[in-house]
Amino acid sequence: MTPAGTPLIGIIGGYGRVGGVAARVLTAECGYRLRVGGRSADAAWSLARTLGAGSEAAVVDVVDSQSLRHFTRGCATVLDCSGTAFVLRGAVRRSVLAAGAHYVGMTDDGGPRTPYGPATAVLFTGLAGTLAGWLPRLLAEGLASATCFDGWYVGLGPVTPHTAVSGLLARRRALDVPAGAWTGARTGGGSPDGPFDGALTAADPTGPALPAPPGGETPLAARESPPPWPLPAHPAAVHRILPEELRRQMYRLCLEEARWREAFPGPATPAVLDRLAGRPRGALDARALLGVARELSRASRLDAERISSYAMTYGTLDGLTPDGLTVRRSALMHCTDVSGLAGVIAAATAHEATENRLTSGVHVAADTLPPEGTADWIVRHLPRATVRRTEIPTGGTGRTTSTPVAARRPG
């Protein structure tokens, strides 16, 4: 039986595909008391009964402020998997924080990231962007310093319109990177939330001449490295971008270079993204953004009918070990349950917030995930999921450092 003093986590949309996985992971790993919420009492109770004696069910309507306050009462953290955050303009986040509970939202509400009270708020900014921020942190664990990161994300699977909104908002915050362009600058100063040093400004697709970083150093040559899997033979779009989440890690890890590519097997999803790329950044208001999200959702379902769902991310990081050895580390993550992957990320984030390991204010999920612990949870809770890492000393031979992944909790 779960002790009465164990923290209570409320999960809105807790019986959905993402919320259900998060509930099971939080129960299995941490033994939290859970309050499974949604508009269907039967669905909520059906899941709560499988989670054990420490779980309960509740009906909650996120558009009803009184219902939301009643659901939040007694919760240390509220995990919002309802997918309505953007439509409601952040009302759920404000209500939860006003009640003194931490808030974890699995869709970006597009609202300001100014602090609201002493509690913590975490926003999920899309799967690809979250992995772009988490992967270099995983590779940098234990290094004395790091210089260059190179990463890929390839994903396919049906997404809901609300989930698509988070990805579209993330793309509006990302920097577009022309092919062959230098993608980074020395980041010894400034702020991860301020203007990015060396931001790409030219639009020449052949590779523009970019300004040298502070100090007059010559721009570093971009090295386009392919992923360790063949790109699909059928139509696919490869987008070179620098996500907000990766820019933040460039600052924190003092990286000199960073590259990130996202590939979406098609043809429907790439066609929508290519049309979107041709629009000015400020051309989409909230209503238009929802329209594109619905279009992207339909395209993702069409593509998923042709190929089974999967998500893969791969990255390399050059760095220096504490004993002075120059190494290149690589990591490959693969899973076939894309919604389950989001659920594990949701659980890890809610755990960090509930344990008060995060400072007050608004964070993006990529900054909060325990690097090693999240990899462990992915492998342990997603069937057929793998996380493999290698380390190759310069001029030496490779040695596997984490196969199988050790079983331990985040943090």
Side-chain angles (χ1 to χ4, degrees):
M1 177 177 290
T2 304
T6 303
L8 173 66
I9 297 178
I11 308 180
I12 305 174
Y15 48 79
R17 287 186 297 178
V18 173
V21 171
R24 294 183 180 93
V25 172
L26 287 168
T27 299
E29 288 288 341
C30 311
Y32 288 119
R33 294 184 298 136
L34 298 181
R35 178 177 293 160
V36 180
R39 288 181 293 181
S40 171
D42 290 342
W45 273 115
S46 178
L47 176 62
R49 280 193 293 266
T50 69
L51 299 175
S55 298
E56 60 188 63
V59 174
V60 58
D61 185 351
V62 292
V63 302
D64 183 338
S65 58
Q66 184 175 352
S67 173
L68 192 54
R69 284 196 300 270
H70 181 74
F71 179 83
T72 305
R73 188 176 296 123
C75 291
T77 301
V78 171
L79 173 59
D80 182 7
C81 300
S82 66
T84 60
F86 183 74
V87 176
L88 297 179
R89 302 293 191 271
V92 178
R93 182 189 0 158
R94 291 191 298 272
S95 177
V96 169
L97 294 177
H102 301 304
Y103 174 82
V104 176
M106 289 311 290
T107 50
D108 192 344
D109 57 29
R113 296 183 181 174
T114 53
Y116 187 96
T120 295
V122 183
L123 302 180
F124 181 71
T125 53
L127 187 57
T130 297
L131 294 174
W134 167 71
L135 193 58
R137 295 177 61 221
L138 176 69
L139 291 168
E141 285 279 279
L143 289 179
S145 63
T147 55
C148 304
F149 171 76
D150 199 356
W152 279 84
Y153 171 81
V154 179
L156 176 70
V159 298
T160 66
H162 296 305
T163 301
V165 165
S166 293
L168 293 173
L169 288 173
R171 282 181 169 269
R172 295 177 72 175
R173 298 188 182 101
L175 297 177
D176 293 320
V177 180
W182 174 51
T183 59
R186 299 186 186 277
T187 54
S191 164
D193 302 309
F196 177 60
D197 294 337
L200 302 178
T201 56
D204 181 1
T206 63
L210 297 173
E217 299 95 332
T218 302
L220 298 170
R223 296 168 300 176
E224 293 285 339
S225 61
W229 60 75
L231 290 175
H234 47 77
V238 176
H239 294 258
R240 293 173 175 84
I241 62 174
L242 203 59
E244 170 199 17
E245 298 88 346
L246 181 52
R247 297 202 305 271
R248 297 170 70 91
Q249 298 314 316
M250 286 189 71
Y251 169 81
R252 290 188 170 94
L253 300 175
C254 296
L255 297 179
E256 296 173 345
E257 289 185 272
R259 285 167 294 278
W260 185 255
R261 277 87 59 188
E262 297 177 2
F264 299 90
T269 301
V272 175
L273 294 175
D274 285 342
R275 288 199 301 273
L276 182 66
R279 299 190 186 188
R281 285 187 179 272
L284 291 177
D285 58 17
R287 185 173 182 178
L289 188 66
L290 284 172
V292 175
R294 285 190 285 269
E295 185 181 1
L296 190 59
S297 177
R298 288 192 295 269
S300 71
R301 290 195 299 269
L302 287 174
D303 289 336
E305 291 175 356
R306 302 166 180 259
I307 313 170
S308 299
S309 299
Y310 66 92
M312 293 191 293
T313 187
Y314 171 76
T316 62
L317 183 71
D318 295 336
L320 192 69
T321 64
D323 57 1
L325 180 65
T326 301
V327 297
R328 168 167 289 184
R329 289 179 171 180
S330 66
L332 172 66
M333 188 281 298
H334 173 271
C335 74
T336 57
D337 185 355
V338 181
S339 295
L341 179 59
V344 171
I345 290 173
T349 305
H351 173 59
E352 293 298 295
T354 304
E355 294 298 307
N356 295 311
R357 294 175 180 166
L358 309 177
T359 58
S360 62
V362 183
H363 306 265
V364 297
D367 291 346
T368 67
L369 294 173
E372 294 275 356
T374 302
D376 295 347
W377 283 20
I378 290 171
V379 172
R380 220 168 30 247
H381 294 287
L382 296 182
R384 299 181 299 279
T386 57
V387 179
R388 296 194 179 97
R389 285 167 284 176
T390 60
E391 182 178 289
I392 303 174
T394 301
T397 58
R399 60 185 177 86
T400 301
T401 59
S402 58
T403 304
V405 174
R408 59 180 179 274
R409 294 185 179 184

